[in-house]
PDB file of all heavy atoms in Angstrom:
ATOM      1  N   ALA A  63     -14.083 -12.089 -30.861  1.00 98.00           N
ATOM      2  CA  ALA A  63     -12.873 -11.458 -30.542  1.00 98.00           C
ATOM      3  C   ALA A  63     -12.911 -10.092 -31.084  1.00 98.00           C
ATOM      4  O   ALA A  63     -13.404  -9.956 -32.155  1.00 98.00           O
ATOM      5  CB  ALA A  63     -11.635 -12.288 -31.038  1.00 98.00           C
ATOM      6  N   ALA A  64     -12.283  -9.087 -30.565  1.00 98.00           N
ATOM      7  CA  ALA A  64     -12.307  -7.700 -31.082  1.00 98.00           C
ATOM      8  C   ALA A  64     -11.088  -6.946 -30.631  1.00 98.00           C
ATOM      9  O   ALA A  64     -10.402  -7.140 -29.582  1.00 98.00           O
ATOM     10  CB  ALA A  64     -13.628  -7.003 -30.586  1.00 98.00           C
ATOM     11  N   SER A  65     -10.630  -5.991 -31.459  1.00 98.00           N
ATOM     12  CA  SER A  65      -9.567  -5.078 -31.083  1.00 98.00           C
ATOM     13  C   SER A  65      -9.916  -4.423 -29.816  1.00 98.00           C
ATOM     14  O   SER A  65     -11.086  -3.846 -29.664  1.00 98.00           O
ATOM     15  CB  SER A  65      -9.383  -4.073 -32.151  1.00 98.00           C
ATOM     16  OG  SER A  65      -8.929  -4.653 -33.452  1.00 98.00           O
ATOM     17  N   GLY A  66      -9.040  -4.423 -28.843  1.00 98.00           N
ATOM     18  CA  GLY A  66      -9.359  -3.936 -27.521  1.00 98.00           C
ATOM     19  C   GLY A  66      -9.760  -2.411 -27.590  1.00 98.00           C
ATOM     20  O   GLY A  66     -10.649  -2.028 -26.773  1.00 98.00           O
ATOM     21  N   CYS A  67      -9.184  -1.646 -28.458  1.00 98.00           N
ATOM     22  CA  CYS A  67      -9.610  -0.172 -28.493  1.00 98.00           C
ATOM     23  C   CYS A  67     -11.106  -0.035 -28.883  1.00 98.00           C
ATOM     24  O   CYS A  67     -11.709   0.868 -28.426  1.00 98.00           O
ATOM     25  CB  CYS A  67      -8.788   0.528 -29.555  1.00 98.00           C
ATOM     26  SG  CYS A  67      -8.857  -0.098 -31.228  1.00 98.00           S
ATOM     27  N   LEU A  68     -11.638  -0.963 -29.670  1.00 98.00           N
ATOM     28  CA  LEU A  68     -13.009  -0.906 -29.993  1.00 98.00           C
ATOM     29  C   LEU A  68     -13.989  -1.164 -28.865  1.00 98.00           C
ATOM     30  O   LEU A  68     -15.122  -0.771 -28.866  1.00 98.00           O
ATOM     31  CB  LEU A  68     -13.391  -1.917 -31.136  1.00 98.00           C
ATOM     32  CG  LEU A  68     -12.636  -1.639 -32.409  1.00 98.00           C
ATOM     33  CD1 LEU A  68     -12.919  -2.703 -33.454  1.00 98.00           C
ATOM     34  CD2 LEU A  68     -12.921  -0.295 -33.062  1.00 98.00           C
ATOM     35  N   LEU A  69     -13.334  -1.908 -27.865  1.00 97.00           N
ATOM     36  CA  LEU A  69     -14.137  -2.252 -26.676  1.00 97.00           C
ATOM     37  C   LEU A  69     -14.028  -1.212 -25.523  1.00 97.00           C
ATOM     38  O   LEU A  69     -14.440  -1.336 -24.453  1.00 97.00           O
ATOM     39  CB  LEU A  69     -13.736  -3.619 -26.151  1.00 97.00           C
ATOM     40  CG  LEU A  69     -14.101  -4.810 -27.014  1.00 97.00           C
ATOM     41  CD1 LEU A  69     -13.330  -6.045 -26.598  1.00 97.00           C
ATOM     42  CD2 LEU A  69     -15.631  -5.015 -27.008  1.00 97.00           C
ATOM     43  N   GLY A  70     -13.185  -0.208 -25.867  1.00 96.00           N
ATOM     44  CA  GLY A  70     -12.985   0.985 -24.920  1.00 96.00           C
ATOM     45  C   GLY A  70     -11.724   0.832 -24.059  1.00 96.00           C
ATOM     46  O   GLY A  70     -11.543   1.711 -23.222  1.00 96.00           O
ATOM     47  N   GLN A  71     -10.954  -0.072 -24.489  1.00 97.00           N
ATOM     48  CA  GLN A  71      -9.626  -0.195 -23.737  1.00 97.00           C
ATOM     49  C   GLN A  71      -8.644   0.994 -24.181  1.00 97.00           C
ATOM     50  O   GLN A  71      -8.470   1.242 -25.426  1.00 97.00           O
ATOM     51  CB  GLN A  71      -8.976  -1.549 -23.956  1.00 97.00           C
ATOM     52  CG  GLN A  71      -9.822  -2.694 -23.334  1.00 97.00           C
ATOM     53  CD  GLN A  71      -9.122  -4.007 -23.476  1.00 97.00           C
ATOM     54  OE1 GLN A  71      -8.090  -4.112 -24.147  1.00 97.00           O
ATOM     55  NE2 GLN A  71      -9.656  -5.030 -22.793  1.00 97.00           N
ATOM     56  N   PRO A  72      -7.903   1.601 -23.295  1.00 97.00           N
ATOM     57  CA  PRO A  72      -7.082   2.676 -23.742  1.00 97.00           C
ATOM     58  C   PRO A  72      -5.725   2.136 -24.134  1.00 97.00           C
ATOM     59  O   PRO A  72      -4.692   2.384 -23.548  1.00 97.00           O
ATOM     60  CB  PRO A  72      -6.873   3.439 -22.287  1.00 97.00           C
ATOM     61  CG  PRO A  72      -6.966   2.386 -21.210  1.00 97.00           C
ATOM     62  CD  PRO A  72      -7.986   1.385 -21.801  1.00 97.00           C
ATOM     63  N   VAL A  73      -5.726   1.568 -25.358  1.00 97.00           N
ATOM     64  CA  VAL A  73      -4.445   0.993 -25.853  1.00 97.00           C
ATOM     65  C   VAL A  73      -4.090   1.610 -27.165  1.00 97.00           C
ATOM     66  O   VAL A  73      -3.120   1.154 -27.760  1.00 97.00           O
ATOM     67  CB  VAL A  73      -4.755  -0.604 -26.103  1.00 97.00           C
ATOM     68  CG1 VAL A  73      -4.850  -1.353 -24.748  1.00 97.00           C
ATOM     69  CG2 VAL A  73      -5.925  -0.817 -26.989  1.00 97.00           C
ATOM     70  N   ARG A  74      -4.731   2.678 -27.592  1.00 96.00           N
ATOM     71  CA  ARG A  74      -4.348   3.465 -28.756  1.00 96.00           C
ATOM     72  C   ARG A  74      -3.025   4.011 -28.668  1.00 96.00           C
ATOM     73  O   ARG A  74      -2.560   4.297 -27.593  1.00 96.00           O
ATOM     74  CB  ARG A  74      -5.343   4.415 -29.280  1.00 96.00           C
ATOM     75  CG  ARG A  74      -6.770   3.765 -29.608  1.00 96.00           C
ATOM     76  CD  ARG A  74      -6.854   3.513 -31.074  1.00 96.00           C
ATOM     77  NE  ARG A  74      -6.965   4.596 -31.918  1.00 96.00           N
ATOM     78  CZ  ARG A  74      -6.757   4.579 -33.151  1.00 96.00           C
ATOM     79  NH1 ARG A  74      -6.257   3.507 -33.789  1.00 96.00           N
ATOM     80  NH2 ARG A  74      -6.932   5.735 -33.886  1.00 96.00           N
ATOM     81  N   TYR A  75      -2.414   4.531 -29.816  1.00 95.00           N
ATOM     82  CA  TYR A  75      -1.041   5.114 -29.777  1.00 95.00           C
ATOM     83  C   TYR A  75      -1.076   6.330 -28.823  1.00 95.00           C
ATOM     84  O   TYR A  75      -0.044   6.728 -28.308  1.00 95.00           O
ATOM     85  CB  TYR A  75      -0.613   5.433 -31.139  1.00 95.00           C
ATOM     86  CG  TYR A  75      -1.402   6.612 -31.715  1.00 95.00           C
ATOM     87  CD1 TYR A  75      -1.038   7.889 -31.750  1.00 95.00           C
ATOM     88  CD2 TYR A  75      -2.664   6.371 -32.396  1.00 95.00           C
ATOM     89  CE1 TYR A  75      -1.736   9.003 -32.282  1.00 95.00           C
ATOM     90  CE2 TYR A  75      -3.426   7.385 -32.957  1.00 95.00           C
ATOM     91  CZ  TYR A  75      -2.951   8.682 -32.860  1.00 95.00           C
ATOM     92  OH  TYR A  75      -3.683   9.758 -33.323  1.00 95.00           O
ATOM     93  N   ASN A  76      -2.230   7.028 -28.768  1.00 95.00           N
ATOM     94  CA  ASN A  76      -2.253   8.246 -27.939  1.00 95.00           C
ATOM     95  C   ASN A  76      -2.784   7.935 -26.508  1.00 95.00           C
ATOM     96  O   ASN A  76      -2.971   9.010 -25.884  1.00 95.00           O
ATOM     97  CB  ASN A  76      -3.153   9.328 -28.619  1.00 95.00           C
ATOM     98  CG  ASN A  76      -4.591   8.821 -28.873  1.00 95.00           C
ATOM     99  OD1 ASN A  76      -4.909   7.697 -28.539  1.00 95.00           O
ATOM    100  ND2 ASN A  76      -5.433   9.600 -29.565  1.00 95.00           N
ATOM    101  N   GLY A  77      -2.937   6.791 -26.141  1.00 95.00           N
ATOM    102  CA  GLY A  77      -3.411   6.436 -24.778  1.00 95.00           C
ATOM    103  C   GLY A  77      -5.017   6.466 -24.696  1.00 95.00           C
ATOM    104  O   GLY A  77      -5.448   6.282 -23.628  1.00 95.00           O
ATOM    105  N   GLY A  78      -5.530   6.664 -25.893  1.00 95.00           N
ATOM    106  CA  GLY A  78      -7.077   6.648 -25.845  1.00 95.00           C
ATOM    107  C   GLY A  78      -7.601   5.345 -26.370  1.00 95.00           C
ATOM    108  O   GLY A  78      -6.971   4.321 -26.478  1.00 95.00           O
ATOM    109  N   HIS A  79      -8.893   5.466 -26.793  1.00 96.00           N
ATOM    110  CA  HIS A  79      -9.542   4.243 -27.358  1.00 96.00           C
ATOM    111  C   HIS A  79     -10.322   4.625 -28.495  1.00 96.00           C
ATOM    112  O   HIS A  79     -10.323   5.826 -28.964  1.00 96.00           O
ATOM    113  CB  HIS A  79     -10.449   3.655 -26.286  1.00 96.00           C
ATOM    114  CG  HIS A  79     -11.492   4.474 -25.763  1.00 96.00           C
ATOM    115  ND1 HIS A  79     -12.616   4.880 -26.560  1.00 96.00           N
ATOM    116  CD2 HIS A  79     -11.697   5.108 -24.630  1.00 96.00           C
ATOM    117  CE1 HIS A  79     -13.400   5.668 -25.889  1.00 96.00           C
ATOM    118  NE2 HIS A  79     -12.814   5.893 -24.664  1.00 96.00           N
ATOM    119  N   ALA A  80     -10.948   3.612 -29.180  1.00 96.00           N
ATOM    120  CA  ALA A  80     -11.764   3.972 -30.323  1.00 96.00           C
ATOM    121  C   ALA A  80     -13.143   3.290 -30.159  1.00 96.00           C
ATOM    122  O   ALA A  80     -13.521   2.562 -31.034  1.00 96.00           O
ATOM    123  CB  ALA A  80     -11.033   3.549 -31.620  1.00 96.00           C
ATOM    124  N   GLN A  81     -13.675   3.411 -29.079  1.00 96.00           N
ATOM    125  CA  GLN A  81     -14.904   2.655 -28.673  1.00 96.00           C
ATOM    126  C   GLN A  81     -15.962   2.816 -29.813  1.00 96.00           C
ATOM    127  O   GLN A  81     -16.218   3.946 -30.199  1.00 96.00           O
ATOM    128  CB  GLN A  81     -15.496   3.182 -27.375  1.00 96.00           C
ATOM    129  CG  GLN A  81     -16.702   2.365 -26.843  1.00 96.00           C
ATOM    130  CD  GLN A  81     -17.043   2.716 -25.368  1.00 96.00           C
ATOM    131  OE1 GLN A  81     -16.262   2.424 -24.633  1.00 96.00           O
ATOM    132  NE2 GLN A  81     -18.245   3.243 -25.285  1.00 96.00           N
ATOM    133  N   ASP A  82     -16.563   1.647 -30.229  1.00 97.00           N
ATOM    134  CA  ASP A  82     -17.421   1.630 -31.308  1.00 97.00           C
ATOM    135  C   ASP A  82     -18.925   1.325 -30.770  1.00 97.00           C
ATOM    136  O   ASP A  82     -18.998   0.368 -29.973  1.00 97.00           O
ATOM    137  CB  ASP A  82     -17.103   0.679 -32.413  1.00 97.00           C
ATOM    138  CG  ASP A  82     -17.969   0.552 -33.560  1.00 97.00           C
ATOM    139  OD1 ASP A  82     -17.901   1.513 -34.322  1.00 97.00           O
ATOM    140  OD2 ASP A  82     -18.971  -0.299 -33.540  1.00 97.00           O
ATOM    141  N   ASP A  83     -19.880   2.047 -31.257  1.00 96.00           N
ATOM    142  CA  ASP A  83     -21.194   1.915 -30.605  1.00 96.00           C
ATOM    143  C   ASP A  83     -21.821   0.527 -30.936  1.00 96.00           C
ATOM    144  O   ASP A  83     -22.480  -0.122 -30.007  1.00 96.00           O
ATOM    145  CB  ASP A  83     -22.273   2.989 -31.148  1.00 96.00           C
ATOM    146  CG  ASP A  83     -21.923   4.366 -30.664  1.00 96.00           C
ATOM    147  OD1 ASP A  83     -21.187   4.400 -29.627  1.00 96.00           O
ATOM    148  OD2 ASP A  83     -22.350   5.324 -31.222  1.00 96.00           O
ATOM    149  N   PHE A  84     -21.596  -0.019 -32.168  1.00 97.00           N
ATOM    150  CA  PHE A  84     -22.205  -1.212 -32.507  1.00 97.00           C
ATOM    151  C   PHE A  84     -21.472  -2.391 -31.715  1.00 97.00           C
ATOM    152  O   PHE A  84     -22.178  -3.332 -31.297  1.00 97.00           O
ATOM    153  CB  PHE A  84     -22.151  -1.541 -33.973  1.00 97.00           C
ATOM    154  CG  PHE A  84     -22.730  -2.786 -34.425  1.00 97.00           C
ATOM    155  CD1 PHE A  84     -24.211  -2.951 -34.277  1.00 97.00           C
ATOM    156  CD2 PHE A  84     -22.016  -3.919 -35.007  1.00 97.00           C
ATOM    157  CE1 PHE A  84     -24.741  -4.148 -34.636  1.00 97.00           C
ATOM    158  CE2 PHE A  84     -22.558  -5.049 -35.408  1.00 97.00           C
ATOM    159  CZ  PHE A  84     -23.885  -5.247 -35.243  1.00 97.00           C
ATOM    160  N   VAL A  85     -20.201  -2.346 -31.636  1.00 97.00           N
ATOM    161  CA  VAL A  85     -19.476  -3.249 -30.863  1.00 97.00           C
ATOM    162  C   VAL A  85     -19.883  -3.311 -29.365  1.00 97.00           C
ATOM    163  O   VAL A  85     -20.155  -4.342 -28.788  1.00 97.00           O
ATOM    164  CB  VAL A  85     -17.993  -3.052 -30.934  1.00 97.00           C
ATOM    165  CG1 VAL A  85     -17.181  -4.000 -30.034  1.00 97.00           C
ATOM    166  CG2 VAL A  85     -17.471  -3.240 -32.377  1.00 97.00           C
ATOM    167  N   GLN A  86     -20.129  -2.092 -28.868  1.00 96.00           N
ATOM    168  CA  GLN A  86     -20.634  -1.949 -27.519  1.00 96.00           C
ATOM    169  C   GLN A  86     -22.007  -2.613 -27.352  1.00 96.00           C
ATOM    170  O   GLN A  86     -22.391  -3.294 -26.367  1.00 96.00           O
ATOM    171  CB  GLN A  86     -20.649  -0.563 -27.062  1.00 96.00           C
ATOM    172  CG  GLN A  86     -19.308   0.029 -26.777  1.00 96.00           C
ATOM    173  CD  GLN A  86     -18.518  -0.696 -25.774  1.00 96.00           C
ATOM    174  OE1 GLN A  86     -18.984  -0.989 -24.617  1.00 96.00           O
ATOM    175  NE2 GLN A  86     -17.210  -1.019 -26.142  1.00 96.00           N
ATOM    176  N   ARG A  87     -22.809  -2.346 -28.424  1.00 96.00           N
ATOM    177  CA  ARG A  87     -24.176  -3.013 -28.399  1.00 96.00           C
ATOM    178  C   ARG A  87     -24.174  -4.457 -28.392  1.00 96.00           C
ATOM    179  O   ARG A  87     -24.991  -5.140 -27.700  1.00 96.00           O
ATOM    180  CB  ARG A  87     -24.990  -2.483 -29.548  1.00 96.00           C
ATOM    181  CG  ARG A  87     -26.446  -2.818 -29.639  1.00 96.00           C
ATOM    182  CD  ARG A  87     -27.092  -2.364 -30.891  1.00 96.00           C
ATOM    183  NE  ARG A  87     -28.479  -2.583 -30.956  1.00 96.00           N
ATOM    184  CZ  ARG A  87     -29.203  -2.550 -32.135  1.00 96.00           C
ATOM    185  NH1 ARG A  87     -28.612  -1.958 -33.213  1.00 96.00           N
ATOM    186  NH2 ARG A  87     -30.414  -2.876 -32.167  1.00 96.00           N
ATOM    187  N   LEU A  88     -23.227  -5.065 -29.044  1.00 98.00           N
ATOM    188  CA  LEU A  88     -23.089  -6.507 -29.176  1.00 98.00           C
ATOM    189  C   LEU A  88     -22.763  -7.160 -27.784  1.00 98.00           C
ATOM    190  O   LEU A  88     -22.840  -8.339 -27.627  1.00 98.00           O
ATOM    191  CB  LEU A  88     -22.021  -6.955 -30.118  1.00 98.00           C
ATOM    192  CG  LEU A  88     -22.510  -6.715 -31.601  1.00 98.00           C
ATOM    193  CD1 LEU A  88     -21.399  -7.117 -32.624  1.00 98.00           C
ATOM    194  CD2 LEU A  88     -23.834  -7.383 -31.938  1.00 98.00           C
TER     195      LEU A  88
END
């Protein structure tokens, strides 16, 4: 399970995401 923003979902306060390379690799 992971925070949606780390998976690239646009759910951050500014409408963006915080996609993480290692999480994406997983």
